Amino acid sequence: RNLLLVGIVLLGLAPASCEGAARQSLHTCVMSDRLNAIGAVVESAQASSVAPFEWHIITTVAKDSVRKAIPGIPLQLIVLEDAVQSLVAQGILPVWMCQDWQAWLHTDDPDATRWRTGFSLRPYPQSRDFKHAHPLNLLRLYLADLPALQQIDSLLLLDDDILIQHDLAPLFAAALASDTLLQASCSMYHLVSLGGRRWLNLTTRSTYSDTAFLGTIGPHGYSACSEESTGGPCAPEGLEPLLVSLEAEINRREDETSASFGPRPAAPLRDQPAWNFGVALLPLDRWRARALGRRVQRWFEASLEHRLFPPDSLASGLGVPYLLFAGSVGCWREDIVLDGLGFVSSDDLEGSGVHDLGAYTALHFAGPSKPSLTGLSHQAQSPLQLATSHLQGAAS
């Protein structure tokens, strides 16, 4: 299966002189079961950054196979099952180990009354995929509690469909607002029609309500469920008010019981900036101080109790993180990540005014269309050449 695989870059914590700071090691972790994806993240990052990396890989692939695929680079390999068991040993039960969650995920009748309440989102069929429920996707919400990462205060999280073009070290030095728990790309695409032409237009002004991730009712989200709505897709009118209430209860209450907390979100939930993981800076020291692990547990418990989002839906895989980090997301500059390249072609980028792919630190092929990584792994193509060829092919 085409699972969502994740690469993570961890900031070294050892004291260093001013002269040595520029070459401080970047501790890197990749969670993946695809060798080509691991190799693409590692090789493009290595080739683009001055500072040395130390790679930590969480995988289901045999260790010898990973080392053979990425020769000459020291790797700390962690078996996925071992990582999960290290959480369980601390009394942390990841959501995918919950029997009720697994039964919902594998039900043959998702429309049965057991799996639906008056608040249940009926997702778009194309937004449902088992990858959204895979541990390699969900483990990123538990990273602060992994024993292997306990000494790490800050991580740069890279999805496996990322190609790196420029030095990553400056991203670690990003100044985060005091209440920021996630720094990410806030650039999204919307369908635009003009003069008989249609294209996906890149914008940096998207909000939660401009996406279909949370079941908001509106032109970019869902239509409201009616008595005639049997299978959907649609969203109950009571879903958004419930999410607003839960956000106030879960996020604020957990803040008040943790060591430190910030103000409530200034904007309503539906007006929060939309974002994507892709290239995301995670201040794990803040996650621990604000007991984010308890918040993760409560959001998944709420989804189970109210049957909010089916486990295999994008609303569960990305919508729950949207709720988890509501009011706590900072946005990268526009030239850091070019997002959503798996949805678009070179014609779409031209319509959006994107003329220089090489200007971006990272190219994120989020979406169904992924480039072949063969040329990159054999150093026959640069990330820019590979991306350009792929996008031109998508336009033909």
Side-chain angles (χ1 to χ4, degrees):
R1 293 180 301 190
N2 181 17
L3 306 176
L4 176 61
L5 313 170
V6 181
I8 305 154
V9 179
L10 312 180
L11 177 61
L13 303 178
S17 65
C18 292
E19 180 179 356
R23 294 190 58 79
Q24 189 175 25
S25 293
L26 305 180
H27 293 270
T28 318
C29 175
V30 178
M31 297 186 294
S32 176
D33 67 350
R34 294 188 301 175
L35 288 179
N36 282 349
I38 298 172
V41 174
V42 171
E43 292 173 18
S44 64
Q46 290 274 158
S48 304
S49 297
V50 176
F53 288 90
E54 294 183 18
W55 296 92
H56 310 261
I57 297 178
I58 302 175
T59 184
T60 58
V61 178
K63 292 182 179 181
D64 288 345
S65 298
V66 179
R67 290 193 174 99
K68 183 178 179 180
I70 312 175
I73 299 176
L75 305 171
Q76 179 191 5
L77 299 177
I78 304 169
V79 177
L80 174 62
E81 183 178 352
D82 293 342
V84 174
Q85 289 305 315
S86 72
L87 293 174
V88 175
Q90 300 176 81
I92 300 170
L93 188 68
V95 64
W96 61 86
M97 299 186 72
C98 173
Q99 291 183 351
D100 192 32
W101 193 86
Q102 283 290 336
W104 192 7
L105 174 64
H106 295 289
T107 180
D108 293 329
D109 187 8
D111 295 329
T113 55
R114 179 185 176 187
W115 309 117
R116 182 172 290 179
T117 71
F119 302 108
S120 300
L121 177 67
R122 304 176 192 182
Y124 291 105
Q126 63 269 29
S127 74
R128 303 190 72 162
D129 193 309
F130 275 99
K131 69 181 180 181
H132 301 309
H134 196 276
L136 288 174
N137 181 41
L138 299 171
L139 186 63
R140 58 191 171 189
L141 303 180
Y142 299 87
L143 291 174
D145 294 313
L146 280 183
L149 308 182
Q150 280 300 300
Q151 303 305 313
I152 305 299
D153 285 344
S154 184
L155 302 90
L156 189 64
L157 177 70
L158 305 177
D159 284 3
D160 84 315
D161 48 4
I162 288 282
L163 294 177
I164 304 300
Q165 301 193 107
H166 302 299
D167 192 6
L168 292 174
L171 275 61
F172 289 101
L176 304 184
S178 60
D179 59 348
T180 294
L181 295 176
L182 179 81
Q183 185 85 4
S185 168
C186 299
S187 299
M188 309 293 283
Y189 287 93
H190 291 307
L191 185 65
V192 173
S193 299
L194 183 64
R197 184 185 174 203
R198 290 160 59 89
W199 74 96
L200 285 169
N201 189 55
L202 184 66
T203 174
T204 57
R205 294 191 175 93
S206 296
T207 65
Y208 280 17
S209 64
D210 293 323
T211 75
F213 303 151
L214 286 178
T216 49
I217 295 172
H220 300 293
Y222 283 84
S223 59
C225 293
S226 64
E227 293 182 0
E228 292 75 27
S229 303
T230 54
C234 63
E237 292 184 348
L239 175 59
E240 185 175 350
L242 176 62
L243 295 179
V244 171
S245 175
L246 288 170
E247 190 280 323
E249 176 186 350
I250 295 175
N251 291 3
R252 182 61 179 178
R253 181 173 296 178
E254 293 299 340
D255 284 344
E256 290 174 345
T257 57
S258 62
S260 62
F261 57 90
R264 287 291 313 283
L269 186 64
R270 65 169 23 241
D271 294 333
Q272 294 293 311
W275 54 272
N276 198 11
F277 276 106
V279 177
L281 186 64
L282 315 182
L284 293 189
D285 52 347
R286 298 184 184 184
W287 287 25
R288 299 184 190 107
R290 296 177 66 167
L292 198 75
R294 288 204 304 263
R295 192 187 295 186
V296 171
Q297 180 181 359
R298 292 201 63 196
W299 272 116
F300 280 121
E301 287 175 348
S303 188
L304 281 170
E305 177 186 354
H306 299 287
R307 304 301 189 202
L308 299 176
F309 309 126
D312 65 345
S313 67
L314 183 59
S316 179
L318 187 56
V320 169
Y322 264 40
L323 296 165
L324 181 71
F325 294 109
S328 302
V329 177
C331 298
W332 291 122
R333 293 194 324 263
E334 294 178 25
D335 62 345
I336 299 299
V337 184
L338 184 58
D339 210 341
L341 292 176
F343 291 104
V344 301
S345 68
S346 55
D347 290 344
D348 293 315
L349 294 181
E350 180 182 354
S352 298
V354 177
H355 303 296
D356 184 8
L357 291 177
Y360 296 86
T361 297
L363 303 176
H364 185 196
F365 286 86
S369 180
K370 310 291 186 186
S372 169
L373 301 174
T374 303
L376 183 68
S377 62
H378 290 85
Q379 298 183 341
Q381 291 181 299
S382 68
L384 177 59
Q385 292 171 326
L386 187 151
T388 300
S389 175
H390 176 77
L391 291 166
Q392 288 174 344
S396 61

